Amino acid sequence: MIACLLLTSLLAWSPQETAATKTEIVFTGRAELSEKILRKAAELELKEFLEQGFQRSALDDAAFLIEDAYRSEGFPDALVKWQLSTADGKRTALFQISEGRRILLGVLEFPGASVLSPEQLAGILGATPGGDSKLPFRRSALESLPSSIKGAYW
C-alpha cells in the first residue's frame, strides 16, 4: 500500500508544473552588503536549489554561506534564516537577515616586536600598522594570529 502511494505521488509530480512555477529569491534585512554580494556568496547553493528540485538543504547551506560572508566583513553576530512559501503559482525563498553590529579594527600596534617589523606583523592580518586600518573583525583570523606569527619566524 505504501509503495502504491509512493508510486502514485511520483507519477502525479510533473517537471512541467515545477518549471512553470516561478521561483524568486528575496533578501530582507540587509543594509551593509549588497544583494549582488549575497547572491555571489551562495551562488552554487542557490543554483542547486533552483535547478535540482528545490531542496531545503541547499537553502540551509546558502544561509550558512551568507552568514560567513557577513562575518568576513566584520559582522560577527550576523544571523540568516530562510523561509519557503508558495502563492499564486510563485515560489519564494526568503532570506531574513539580521546583520548585527559591524566591528572594524582600528589602530594596530605591536609592542615589543623586535624580529619582525610592525609592517610584517600587520601584513599577516592584511592591514597596515598604526593609523586607522578599518580592517573587518574576523574572529577566525584573530584566533589564528599567534600561529601565523610563529610561522613567520620559521
Side-chain angles (χ1 to χ4, degrees), residues 2 4 19 23 26-27 34 43 46 49 69-70 74-75 112-113 115 134 136 150 152:
I2 292 175
C4 183
T23 302
V26 177
F27 301 93
S34 70
E43 182 176 14
L46 294 176
F49 171 74
Y70 270 99
F75 294 88
V115 175
K134 297 287 189 213
K150 285 179 187 175

Side-chain angles (χ1 to χ4, degrees), residues 54-104:
F54 311 108
Q55 298 173 359
R56 293 173 181 268
S57 61
L59 295 178
D60 284 334
D61 293 344
F64 174 81
L65 290 170
I66 292 168
E67 285 178 351
D68 193 51
Y70 270 99
R71 286 189 186 94
S72 72
E73 291 298 323
F75 294 88
D77 301 318
L79 182 63
V80 179
K81 295 182 180 182
W82 62 267
Q83 180 180 359
L84 189 60
S85 62
T86 305
D88 300 324
K90 183 170 106 176
R91 179 182 293 109
T92 302
L94 173 67
F95 289 91
Q96 300 163 319
I97 300 166
S98 173
E99 293 179 336
R101 69 192 190 290
R102 186 175 203 179
I103 300 174
L104 299 175

Side-chain angles (χ1 to χ4, degrees), residues 30-66:
R30 62 156 204 85
E32 296 296 322
L33 298 186
S34 70
E35 183 172 322
K36 182 179 178 180
I37 290 172
L38 301 180
R39 286 182 182 276
K40 181 76 174 159
E43 182 176 14
L44 295 176
E45 289 68 21
L46 294 176
K47 183 178 179 181
E48 177 185 331
F49 171 74
L50 294 171
E51 294 178 358
Q52 296 182 14
F54 311 108
Q55 298 173 359
R56 293 173 181 268
S57 61
L59 295 178
D60 284 334
D61 293 344
F64 174 81
L65 290 170
I66 292 168

